[in-house]
């Protein structure tokens, strides 16, 4: 590393500079469990210390990688021995909750679940929700523009952020802690950092938008007889439930059958013979009205033959049991290992043709190949798991080509919500024009001229 440990210890204190085995004992992502290879890990306590660390790094051209909850899936947290990791694990304070204005001010290292709980304690809610809620951090959610299961109603992380504070590559602090829904005074600078994966600045604080509570939650799992019925059901439930539709999560039969019948990890709430299964959530404030509306919507869907079976959760335990099938990523890993995972988006109407063609290509090349599909169909996002019996790098490249190349013609994206990191960087040009990529490079050069922040992530190095 270019920077000295003494310089770092002088800023954050000796206990907060980790080296040697203390670094190697930490993983860089939860999927592979690979150890951190950074030269050191520094743990600042607040924005000022992050700024001081970056000022010192800028002076000696020391590259850095930011660590949050390490729940990413695209190798965005990997660090080499010549890089310094800045961990935001000590920046966990919830600084203020404005019940009248509906905002929550928080440091970037706070876990998502803690923010959800803090909002609930004052009678409000923070609607972003995903399976890694207990580990992922607000800063990471912002840096990757996280999605999750409530996007169909509340939008992605970008829609939840009113203001933020970020430390630039040279240590300057850009504090745009806006608390208002309307603020058109010049450029909306926070948008530069949301979804930029730590390549333009390090988010240290944020003002989040809270929503009114939805204490009434209705959940059902239904089975659809065809893809046409599935898309018809999405349209039907959207119209029947209106603004109360909270989630529309689809599992292809290959996902549902693997986790219930094949692996036996969950008791199947209905037969495994149907091609599609959907978890539908309705969120409201009036329990009786919400329950009636939800039941009537399902009944009319059954009458219209959009669904052939349905199970409505009668308790929190039953609701959790239905969601557990959808969120059992550990089961997928165990059942398909070695596997490759993908997070793509594409027009809903093209999804069945895309997945059918993908499965055909995979099995033609590898007769024992297995494809498992689930995702946030309501917002055009599919999660794809592929197992071909090998984790070889060359094999992965071939699988990636089969998954990613068809998306260009469909107007799809190689990353719906997981980001680009290192893993998807070679495929960025399949979903972004050359003009867009060039503008990204221009922004990177302007804000980080020495290429110190998460170098090589998202964009190939050009300077």
């Amino acid at each position: 590393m270019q920077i000295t440990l003494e310089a770092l210890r002088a800023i954050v204190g000796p206990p907060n500079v980790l080296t040697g085995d203390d670094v190697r004992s930490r993983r860089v992502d939860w999927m592979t469990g690979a150890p951190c290879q950074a030269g050191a890990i520094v743990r600042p306590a607040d924005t000022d210390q992050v700024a001081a660390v970056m000022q010192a790094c800028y002076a000696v051209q020391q590259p850095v990688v930011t660590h949050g909850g390490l729940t990413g899936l695209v190798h965005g947290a990997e660090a080499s021995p010549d890089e310094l990791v800045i961990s935001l694990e000590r920046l966990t304070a919830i600084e203020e909750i404005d019940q009248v204005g509906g905002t929550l001010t928080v440091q970037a290292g706070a876990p998502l679940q803690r923010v959800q709980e803090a909002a609930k304690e004052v009678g409000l809610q923070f609607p972003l929700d995903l399976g890694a809620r207990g580990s992922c951090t607000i800063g990471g959610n912002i840096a990757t523009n996280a999605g999750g299961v409530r996007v169909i109603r509340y939008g992605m992380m970008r829609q939840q952020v009113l203001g933020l504070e970020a430390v630039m590559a040279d240590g300057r602090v850009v504090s745009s802690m806006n608390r208002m829904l309307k603020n058109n005074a010049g450029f909306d600078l926070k948008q530069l950092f949301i979804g930029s994966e730590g390549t333009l600045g390090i988010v240290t604080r944020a003002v989040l938008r809270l929503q009114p509570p939805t204490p009434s939650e209705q959940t059902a799992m239904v089975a659809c007889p065809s893809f046409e019925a599935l898309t018809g059901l999405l349209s039907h439930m959207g119209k029947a439930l209106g603004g109360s539709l909270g989630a529309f999560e689809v599992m292809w039969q290959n996902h549902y059958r693997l986790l219930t019948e094949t692996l036996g990890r969950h008791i199947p709430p209905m037969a495994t013979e149907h091609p599609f299964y959907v978890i539908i959530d309705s969120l409201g404030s009036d329990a009786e009205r919400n329950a009636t509306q939800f039941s009537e919507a399902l009944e009319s869907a059954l009458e219209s033959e959009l669904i052939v079976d349905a199970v409505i959760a009668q308790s929190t335990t039953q609701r959790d049991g239905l969601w557990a099938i959808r969120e059992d990523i550990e089961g997928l890993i165990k059942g398909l290992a070695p596997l490759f995972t993908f997070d793509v988006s594409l027009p809903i109407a093209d999804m069945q043709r895309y997945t059918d063609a993908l499965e055909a290509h995979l099995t033609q090349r590898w007769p024992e190949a297995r494809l498992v599909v689930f995702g946030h169909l309501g917002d055009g996002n599919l999660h794809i798991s592929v197992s071909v019996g090998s984790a070889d790098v060359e094999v992965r490249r071939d699988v990636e080509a089969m998954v990613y190349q068809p998306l260009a013609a469909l107007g799809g994206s190689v990353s719906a919500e997981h980001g680009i990191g290192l893993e998807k960087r070679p495929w960025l040009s399949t979903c972004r024009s050359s003009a867009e990529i060039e503008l990204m490079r221009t922004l990177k050069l302007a804000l980080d001229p020495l290429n110190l922040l998460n170098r090589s992530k998202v964009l190939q190095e050009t300077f």
Side-chain angles (χ1 to χ4, degrees):
M1 294 194 308
Q2 299 293 104
I3 196 168
T4 65
L5 298 180
E6 289 73 16
L8 297 172
R9 292 180 181 123
I11 297 170
V12 301
N16 295 306
V17 178
L18 308 182
T19 59
D21 290 342
D22 289 334
V23 172
R24 310 294 173 258
S25 64
R26 296 189 172 213
R27 61 185 185 181
V28 290
D29 65 65
W30 74 273
M31 178 74 84
T32 67
C36 183
Q37 299 295 329
I41 296 176
V42 59
R43 306 184 298 176
D46 53 30
T47 298
D48 289 343
Q49 287 192 3
V50 175
V53 170
M54 283 311 307
Q55 287 172 1
C57 289
Y58 191 81
V60 295
Q61 300 188 29
Q62 171 64 54
V64 304
V65 175
T66 310
H67 277 190
L70 301 177
T71 58
L73 296 170
V74 293
H75 306 294
E78 285 190 6
S80 58
D82 66 330
E83 291 179 309
L84 171 72
V85 162
I86 296 181
S87 171
L88 302 184
E89 63 194 78
R90 297 174 66 205
L91 279 73
T92 60
I94 294 175
E95 298 178 352
E96 181 184 3
I97 300 179
D98 179 355
Q99 293 178 253
V100 176
T103 66
L104 183 149
T105 303
V106 62
Q107 290 182 321
L112 170 59
Q113 185 171 335
R114 183 175 175 186
V115 170
Q116 293 173 329
E117 292 169 350
K120 186 176 181 179
E121 288 172 1
V122 297
L124 295 169
Q125 69 161 321
F126 183 63
L128 183 80
D129 193 33
L130 51 151
R133 64 187 69 85
S135 303
C136 66
T137 62
I138 291 299
N141 297 152
I142 292 172
T144 59
N145 188 28
V149 299
R150 300 283 186 234
V151 171
I152 193 171
R153 176 162 180 176
Y154 295 105
M156 297 182 70
M157 187 63 175
R158 188 179 302 279
Q159 281 70 48
Q160 323 308 325
V161 181
L162 293 177
L164 57 76
E165 187 169 83
V167 176
M168 308 295 289
D170 60 4
R172 287 178 297 164
V173 177
V174 176
S175 189
S176 182
M177 297 290 282
N178 172 69
R179 297 170 58 185
M180 299 165 290
L181 290 177
K182 292 183 175 181
N183 184 351
N184 279 339
F187 302 151
D188 190 0
L189 295 176
K190 69 176 181 289
Q191 302 297 345
L192 287 172
F193 305 102
I194 302 174
S196 64
E197 302 183 46
T199 61
L200 302 181
I202 302 173
V203 175
T204 55
R205 298 168 66 225
V207 179
L208 306 178
R209 182 182 182 186
L210 302 181
Q211 298 288 346
T214 51
S216 171
E217 182 175 0
Q218 302 294 320
T219 303
M221 179 182 287
V222 305
C224 293
S226 66
F227 189 78
E228 291 73 23
L230 175 63
T231 55
L233 179 65
L234 173 61
S235 177
H236 170 78
M237 297 305 288
K239 294 174 182 176
L241 299 179
S244 69
L245 179 61
F248 193 91
E249 297 292 303
V250 177
M251 295 172 282
W252 265 236
Q253 183 191 59
N254 47 40
H255 179 281
Y256 181 78
R257 178 174 284 176
L258 174 68
L259 292 172
T260 56
E261 183 177 274
T262 305
L263 299 179
R265 290 177 63 88
H266 307 275
I267 297 174
M270 59 185 69
T272 62
E273 63 193 29
H274 309 295
F276 301 99
Y277 299 82
V278 190
I279 297 178
I280 305 171
D281 256 10
S282 176
L283 307 172
S285 57
D286 185 324
E288 184 176 351
R289 178 186 177 189
N290 194 31
T292 299
Q293 183 186 41
F294 191 65
S295 179
E296 290 176 349
L298 291 177
E299 287 176 7
S300 59
L302 186 62
E303 292 171 357
S304 301
E305 299 183 343
L306 298 175
I307 61 177
V308 293
D309 200 359
V311 174
I312 300 178
Q314 301 297 321
S315 66
T316 300
T317 299
Q318 291 182 7
R319 177 180 297 113
D320 291 345
L322 296 179
W323 275 107
I325 302 173
R326 155 64 177 80
E327 296 186 337
D328 190 2
I329 308 304
E330 181 181 349
L332 288 181
I333 295 172
K334 290 183 177 180
L336 296 176
L339 82 162
F340 305 125
T341 61
F342 304 92
D343 158 55
V344 303
S345 61
L346 67 157
I348 296 172
D350 296 318
M351 286 182 173
Q352 185 178 31
R353 289 191 297 272
Y354 168 79
T355 55
D356 286 350
L358 174 59
E359 187 167 32
H361 291 148
L362 288 167
T363 54
Q364 182 179 14
R365 174 73 181 277
W366 299 280
E368 302 302 317
R370 300 184 66 180
L371 175 71
V372 170
V373 183
F374 69 100
H376 321 289
L377 183 129
D379 46 76
N381 177 192
L382 293 182
H383 297 303
I384 296 172
S385 298
V386 175
S387 176
V388 297
S390 171
D392 183 78
V393 174
E394 293 300 323
V395 171
R396 179 178 181 93
R397 289 174 181 167
D398 290 342
V399 174
E400 286 178 345
M402 292 183 186
V403 173
Y404 292 145
Q405 286 178 348
L407 294 171
L410 299 174
S413 172
V414 300
S415 179
E417 60 181 1
H418 290 170
I420 296 297
L422 289 174
E423 182 176 296
K424 299 184 181 185
R425 189 185 65 192
W427 299 98
L428 184 61
S429 61
T430 64
C431 60
R432 291 293 193 183
S433 68
S434 58
E436 288 177 301
I437 293 175
E438 186 57 34
L439 182 54
M440 292 181 197
R441 295 189 192 283
T442 299
L443 288 170
K444 174 67 171 174
L445 181 61
L447 299 182
D448 183 13
L450 300 182
N451 194 23
L452 301 183
L453 297 172
N454 272 20
R455 61 179 183 174
S456 303
K457 311 293 170 49
V458 183
L459 297 170
Q460 184 72 41
E461 290 183 20
T462 57
F463 55 93

